[in-house]
Amino acid sequence: MYGEDPTINQLQELAAEKMGKQAGLFVASGTMGNLIAVLSTCQRGDEVIVGKKNHLFVHEAGGISALGGIHSNQIKNQLDGSLLLEDVAAAIRPDDLHEPVTRLVCLENTHNGCGGVYQTPAYIRQVAEFAHVRGLSVHLDGARIFNAAVAQGVPASELTGPVDSVTFCLSKGLCAPVGSVLCGTMPFIAKARRLRKMLGGGMRQAGILAAAGMVALERMVDRLDEDHARAKSLADGLRLVPGLKLDPKIPATNMVFLSLRADVQCTTDELIEKLRERGVLIGTTGERQYRLVTHYWIEDKGVEKTIAAFRSVLG
């Protein structure tokens, strides 16, 4: 909080450099980072354009509205997680005192709700240019931005450089125990620092957390392609299990989404429990729909065990 911890400062500087930004701010979570970004950009009564399936809208407890008094205008995500420019254009409010002021466009990369798919540098640049010409800012929820970068063989800065602010997680695929970093301009981060304090995010002796974040950025990015390869192996194996349905485009990165076919006589909870008995834990995304995520602690034998468990239950 005082700006004196050398490890925190080093982490923030490294994060900003990798995102192509002037400054960074260590925060407790991606949700906190996204909330601070929106609060730093918008006034009460302003409006944010966001996809209906974006994490910021679906999974962050309505924080921008409850805590910021900021309205959201939700538009349709395409199958690849993107927002059509014509939909963004149609959502921008006219200069009318009856309506909220459109201030911000929010993107997500990789896109959790659309299957772990990624957005391209060209698309991010296109949206940013489109928004900036119209006086709007762009925030990127880049919780898994390094997965998107590794999958496309580009530096993360190519995906984040065009936007005004970006949040990314040090945990998840990068393996740190906790923490995210919000990056943007110096004035933006100065405002964000005050908001972090307001939200209770100022931490004492946080250098040990930042040290784990440094390891995450310096040693864990280049190995993400291992997670992607294991996710592909997992998906390939599960496609051969009777009763499972997988999108042929899945996985784009490290997430495997699947569902039970209509003729399978098994409820959502029954499948979860039967797999648990076999040492496999899975998450649900809907009725008879599931998400499996590969990461540092999932090895090849874990992939094989998971496929065998599904086959045992459904075969």
Side-chain angles (χ1 to χ4, degrees), residues 56-249:
L56 187 145
F57 173 65
V58 179
H59 295 298
E60 299 187 4
I64 64 170
S65 300
L67 303 177
I70 296 162
H71 198 250
S72 64
N73 190 342
Q74 311 102 40
I75 62 178
K76 180 181 179 181
N77 290 101
Q78 301 305 300
L79 293 178
D80 64 355
S82 65
L83 306 176
L84 293 180
L85 291 186
E86 51 262 45
D87 290 342
V88 176
I92 298 173
R93 301 281 187 167
D95 185 9
D96 185 331
L97 59 84
H98 297 87
E99 303 187 24
V101 175
T102 305
R103 191 74 65 188
L104 179 66
V105 179
C106 291
L107 303 176
E108 184 175 337
N109 199 16
T110 61
H111 201 292
N112 182 6
C114 290
V117 293
Y118 52 77
Q119 309 301 307
T120 66
Y123 170 75
I124 299 290
R125 193 180 316 112
Q126 185 182 34
V127 174
E129 291 173 354
F130 178 89
H132 293 157
V133 166
R134 290 159 178 80
L136 307 180
S137 298
V138 180
H139 172 66
L140 176 61
D141 174 0
R144 297 175 177 85
I145 193 64
F146 290 102
N147 288 94
V150 167
Q152 298 176 81
V154 300
S157 59
E158 283 197 30
L159 297 166
T160 59
V163 304
D164 299 279
S165 59
V166 56
T167 301
F168 70 89
C169 290
L170 296 163
S171 56
K172 300 186 171 72
L174 296 188
C175 305
V178 66
S180 295
V181 185
L182 171 63
C183 298
T185 64
M186 290 283 192
F188 173 87
I189 292 299
K191 187 173 183 180
R193 186 180 300 276
R194 180 179 292 271
L195 286 163
R196 183 184 66 180
K197 170 61 180 175
M198 185 185 300
L199 294 171
M203 293 182 279
R204 306 289 186 271
Q205 293 83 45
I208 190 170
L209 300 178
M214 291 293 296
V215 173
L217 286 178
E218 292 177 340
R219 302 185 188 178
M220 295 297 175
V221 173
D222 291 340
R223 59 149 305 278
L224 289 174
D225 58 353
E226 298 174 12
D227 297 340
H228 298 174
R230 289 191 174 104
K232 184 178 184 306
S233 296
L234 178 60
D236 290 345
L238 292 176
R239 284 193 179 93
L240 302 177
V241 177
L244 293 182
K245 182 168 58 175
L246 283 78
D247 188 310
K249 298 186 295 297

Side-chain angles (χ1 to χ4, degrees), residues 27-38 139 167 180-182 188:
V27 294
S29 67
T31 294
M32 177 179 278
N34 287 337
L35 175 60
I36 291 174
V38 175
H139 172 66
T167 301
S180 295
V181 185
L182 171 63
F188 173 87

